[in-house]
Amino acid sequence: MHESIGDVLSARRKELRLSQSELATMLAKDGIDVTNQAISKWETGATLPNARQFLALCRALEIDDIGGSFGGDTGGLLSGLNAIGRRKALDYISLLRESGKYSVLPEIVEVRSLPLYSLAVSAGTGQFLDSDDYEMTEVGPEVPDGANFGVRVAGDSMEPKFHDGQTVWVRQQRDLMSGEIGIFLYDGCAYLKQLVAGDGCFMLHSLNPAYPDIKISPDLPLRVLGKVLAA
């Protein structure tokens, strides 16, 4: 016959030589405010702790093998072991933890440095992108692996997708498909725009309808600097 929850709690408290008042103080440090009278009712079975209180009790009473201690472990890792065997298994687990050799290592976040151009690419009036004017910036996994550089946006012609002062991350490439958004050099100005195929020509399209499209003249070369991958 399995011991009741109250019997287990009472026996473990007495094993640790704690009074009910001392246990209540320990629970208070864990954010559980109860009286020693409440602990007495748990131990006699008059009431039961809720889930949060129960877990706090197990921490305070150093009950690691919850399933085995309360008779609910019918097929767990420690099933089939008596009380001494369970304690030896848990002691060995403690030794493994203390050794530090088998600790869960924190996830290593890969950081790399990419050039971020300080002279903003225009999303409005057009500003020239000086290829020598940039700062190296550390970026993490939020920036796609294929990105080669970043550019700060100026203007609101690409809203609502891109905003003034926002950084976009770009993969350097010479060609774009119609519909793709990239960084362009045209007629001495740098632009963040969407390339669209028009009636016999290409245009640099602004997402903000307040701005007209820029029609690409065959007499002025359009240079693609890269494709925008993320912002």
Side-chain angles (χ1 to χ4, degrees), residues 120-123 151-155 158 162-168 192:
V121 164
S122 173
V151 181
R152 291 192 183 96
V153 180
M158 292 298 282
F162 303 103
H163 308 283
D164 183 47
Q166 186 176 10
T167 297
V168 296
L192 164 66

Side-chain angles (χ1 to χ4, degrees), residues 56-222:
L57 280 166
C58 290
R59 286 192 293 270
L61 297 174
E62 301 175 11
I63 300 175
D64 296 317
D65 181 18
I66 296 176
S69 297
F70 293 94
D73 185 10
T74 58
L77 185 62
L78 302 181
S79 63
L81 296 178
N82 61 19
I84 297 176
R86 289 173 180 272
R87 176 49 56 188
K88 287 183 177 292
L90 293 172
D91 287 344
Y92 184 62
I93 290 174
S94 297
L95 289 174
L96 293 177
R97 287 195 182 114
E98 292 171 3
S99 72
K101 295 180 180 179
Y102 309 99
S103 300
V104 177
L105 297 177
E107 182 180 355
I108 299 176
V109 179
E110 293 187 5
V111 177
R112 64 192 194 279
S113 294
L114 294 179
L116 174 61
Y117 288 88
S118 58
L119 182 59
V121 164
S122 173
T125 59
Q127 295 180 25
F128 185 75
L129 177 63
D130 184 348
S131 60
D132 294 326
D133 187 10
Y134 63 85
E135 59 184 281
M136 296 303 295
T137 303
E138 289 189 348
V139 299
E142 74 280 358
V143 176
D145 291 338
N148 304 108
F149 63 94
V151 181
R152 291 192 183 96
V153 180
D156 63 353
S157 74
M158 292 298 282
E159 290 188 347
K161 189 174 181 65
F162 303 103
H163 308 283
D164 183 47
Q166 186 176 10
T167 297
V168 296
W169 297 101
V170 186
R171 178 177 63 212
Q172 188 173 2
Q173 59 186 68
R174 295 182 178 180
D175 300 296
L176 288 181
M177 300 289 290
S178 178
E180 293 182 325
I181 295 176
I183 306 297
F184 304 90
L185 281 178
Y186 179 69
D187 195 18
C189 294
Y191 295 96
L192 164 66
K193 298 292 182 185
Q194 182 182 40
L195 182 67
V196 295
D199 186 13
C201 67
F202 282 99
M203 293 180 291
L204 298 181
H205 173 68
S206 298
L207 300 182
N208 186 340
Y211 289 80
D213 293 339
I214 300 173
K215 184 177 181 180
I216 303 303
S217 169
D219 299 326
L220 294 173
L222 174 68

Side-chain angles (χ1 to χ4, degrees), residues 39-68:
I39 294 174
S40 177
K41 289 183 179 181
W42 293 338
E43 293 183 350
T44 60
T47 60
L48 289 174
N50 61 33
R52 185 163 172 264
Q53 292 167 338
F54 176 73
L55 292 176
L57 280 166
C58 290
R59 286 192 293 270
L61 297 174
E62 301 175 11
I63 300 175
D64 296 317
D65 181 18
I66 296 176

